[in-house]
């Protein structure tokens, strides 16, 4: 439990956003500065400032400029966007389904997006006039199809669609889709290494072009969810209560699920399967700052972004020069948190 003085400080929304912003800023500096070659903070700030405002940095060593602009900065920005996408999608799913165990990973949305991406890589698909946006678009399409199938199947099993039923259905679909991915991997040839490396989750050697892929989808998806924060607050009290408050429940549910699928599909397309970010970050933010989605969603963006930047930093430095998949790090952190949340829910149910 948090002390009353600490909770009072954190409940101040200015303090909340300041703390989350500082956490993200420090994560960015650490992600850029730490590596085989350390880059001092003043040089990082000067190079980023030059990138943003266009002033000269001729006095900085070319090695530092190359490391920051071509290697670490795009990697940090990409991991930040992926973490933010998964975190806000998880926060929205948890609010919509009224369960802290819901996230793109446990609902099978990530697995669906992975199938779409693996099919694109396996068959080397490229939709005319779309080009490199083929990968995220097919990932988004398959993620949306997956969540639609999960909800439809859960309704067939139990008309009341209890959240536990939805999550169990998501796990079933994840297992089935995982088998499909394994089948495609078994049938593939030269693409085997690329697909397996991608599936484990990584933002290594992606470059600025991958940021261009995810950025428009992140803006669209997160924008839709932020505009529906009030409706998510209403639906967190139950669909019937939300209906009485004037919310078109079915329409808003479809909008939220679509936005979450956009965010998850785009994130999976550029980084592979990275689990538990959408589970852990919104849950911790909700514990500290409360369930109001008007603040929970943007705070999840900031904290999720910083979290994945730090997870990526750990993945590439913990056993340097070998680099671990970032999905391994998030799973090592997220799986125990998932277990703790599940135990806490069972205790609440028994005491109730």
């Amino acid at each position: 439990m948090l002390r009353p003085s600490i909770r009072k400080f954190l409940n101040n929304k200015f303090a909340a956003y300041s703390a989350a912003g500082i956490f993200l800023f420090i994560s960015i500096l650490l992600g850029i500065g730490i590596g085989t070659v350390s880059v001092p903070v003043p040089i990082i700030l000067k190079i980023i400032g030059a990138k943003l405002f266009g002033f000269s940095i001729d006095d900085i060593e070319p090695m530092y400029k190359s490391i920051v602009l071509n290697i670490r900065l795009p990697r940090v920005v990409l991991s930040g966007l992926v973490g933010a996408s998964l975190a806000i999608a998880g926060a929205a799913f948890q609010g919509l389904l009224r369960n802290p165990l819901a996230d793109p990973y446990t609902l099978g949305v990530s697995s669906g997006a992975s199938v779409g991406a693996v099919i694109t890589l396996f068959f080397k698909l490229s939709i005319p006039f779309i080009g490199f946006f083929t990968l995220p678009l097919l990932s988004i399409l398959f993620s949306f199809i997956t969540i639609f199938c999960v909800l439809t199947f859960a309704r067939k099993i139990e008309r009341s669609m209890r959240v536990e039923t939805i999550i169990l259905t998501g796990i079933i679909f994840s297992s089935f889709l995982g088998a499909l991915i394994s089948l495609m991997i078994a049938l593939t040839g030269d693409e085997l290494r690329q697909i397996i490396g991608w599936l484990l989750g990584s933002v290594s050697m992606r470059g600025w072009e991958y940021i261009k892929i995810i950025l428009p989808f992140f803006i669209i998806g997160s924008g839709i969810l932020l505009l529906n924060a009030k409706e998510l607050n209403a639906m967190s009290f139950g669909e019937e209560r939300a209906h009485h408050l004037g919310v078109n429940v079915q329409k808003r549910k479809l909008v939220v699920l679509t936005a979450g699928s956009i965010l998850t599909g785009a994130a999976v397309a550029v980084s592979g399967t990275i689990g538990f970010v959408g589970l852990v970050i919104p849950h911790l933010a909700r514990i500290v700052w409360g369930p109001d989605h008007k603040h929970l969603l943007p705070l999840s963006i900031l904290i999720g972004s910083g979290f994945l930047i730090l997870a990526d930093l750990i993945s590439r430095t913990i056993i340097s020069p070998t680099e671990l998949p970032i999905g391994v790090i998030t799973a090592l952190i997220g799986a125990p948190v998932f277990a703790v949340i599940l135990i806490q829910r069972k205790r609440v149910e028994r005491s109730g």
Side-chain angles (χ1 to χ4, degrees):
M1 296 292 290
L2 294 173
R3 292 181 179 179
S5 58
I6 297 176
R7 180 167 289 280
K8 183 178 179 181
F9 170 75
L10 292 174
N11 283 340
N12 182 305
K13 292 302 178 266
F14 176 77
Y17 284 104
S18 297
I22 291 170
F23 169 69
L24 175 57
F25 181 69
I26 292 173
S27 299
I28 291 171
L29 291 181
L30 291 174
I32 296 174
I34 297 176
T36 306
V37 176
S38 297
V39 182
V41 171
I43 292 178
I44 295 172
L45 295 176
K46 194 168 183 179
I47 293 174
I48 293 176
K51 178 76 174 176
L52 292 174
F53 305 110
F55 55 79
S56 175
I57 48 172
D58 293 334
D59 57 325
I60 294 177
E61 287 186 38
M63 178 187 69
Y64 283 143
K65 288 191 284 187
S66 178
I67 289 172
V68 172
L69 293 176
N70 299 327
I71 301 174
R72 293 189 191 162
L73 183 58
R75 180 169 184 155
V76 163
V77 172
L78 184 62
S79 58
L81 286 172
V82 170
S85 298
L86 296 175
I88 188 175
F93 285 153
Q94 289 174 13
L96 181 67
L97 299 175
R98 307 186 302 283
N99 192 305
L101 296 176
D103 88 319
Y105 194 74
T106 57
L107 291 176
V109 182
S110 292
S111 296
S114 297
V115 169
V118 169
I119 287 174
T120 305
L121 295 172
F122 182 77
F123 292 106
K124 299 179 180 178
L125 299 178
S126 180
I127 300 173
F129 308 111
I130 295 177
F132 62 80
F133 281 105
T134 301
L135 182 61
L137 285 174
L138 287 180
S139 293
I140 290 166
L141 175 63
F142 275 82
S143 65
F144 184 75
I145 291 172
T146 302
I147 192 64
F148 177 79
C149 291
V150 166
L151 294 175
T152 302
F153 193 74
R155 185 181 290 276
K156 293 286 185 182
I157 296 173
E158 188 178 39
R159 193 158 186 81
S160 62
M161 290 181 67
R162 286 192 309 147
V163 175
E164 288 79 6
T165 304
I166 294 174
I167 291 175
L168 286 173
T169 305
I171 293 171
I172 292 169
F173 271 81
S174 290
S175 300
F176 175 72
L177 294 172
L180 285 181
I181 293 171
S182 297
L183 176 62
M184 283 185 279
I185 289 175
L187 295 174
T188 193
D190 296 337
E191 298 85 6
L192 178 63
R193 182 184 297 273
Q194 179 190 5
I195 291 176
I196 291 178
W198 175 85
L199 281 173
L200 292 172
S202 175
V203 291
S204 175
M205 304 304 291
R206 294 295 197 261
W208 291 104
E209 63 271 17
Y210 281 81
I211 295 170
K212 294 176 183 178
I213 291 175
I214 189 176
L215 185 58
F217 296 105
F218 170 72
I219 293 171
I220 293 168
S222 58
I224 291 171
L225 291 181
L226 291 170
L227 290 173
N228 284 274
K230 188 184 297 184
E231 286 76 10
L232 278 170
N233 282 340
M235 287 190 285
S236 65
F237 293 106
E239 293 185 8
E240 187 175 343
R241 179 80 176 272
H243 179 72
H244 289 312
L245 291 172
V247 176
N248 187 332
V249 174
Q250 296 305 318
K251 179 181 177 182
R252 293 300 170 182
K253 186 186 293 186
L254 180 62
V255 168
V256 170
L257 291 175
T258 301
S261 298
I262 289 172
L263 289 161
T264 305
V268 169
V270 298
S271 66
T273 306
I274 299 175
F276 296 106
V277 177
L279 174 76
V280 174
I281 301 305
H283 183 68
L284 294 178
R286 188 178 286 104
I287 289 174
V288 177
W289 289 299
D292 185 354
H293 287 85
K294 287 188 292 184
H295 301 293
L296 178 63
L297 295 179
L299 287 170
S300 294
I301 288 175
L302 295 173
I303 301 168
S305 181
F307 170 78
L308 203 64
I309 291 170
L310 292 180
D312 178 55
L313 174 62
I314 293 170
S315 74
R316 62 181 170 84
T317 57
I318 191 169
I319 54 171
S320 180
T322 304
E323 186 172 310
L324 288 174
I326 192 171
V328 172
I329 303 299
T330 58
L332 287 173
I333 298 170
V337 174
F338 183 92
V340 170
I341 295 171
L342 187 59
I343 292 169
Q344 287 179 340
R345 281 185 59 81
K346 290 300 178 184
R347 285 177 179 173
V348 171
E349 289 174 3
R350 287 171 186 168
S351 63

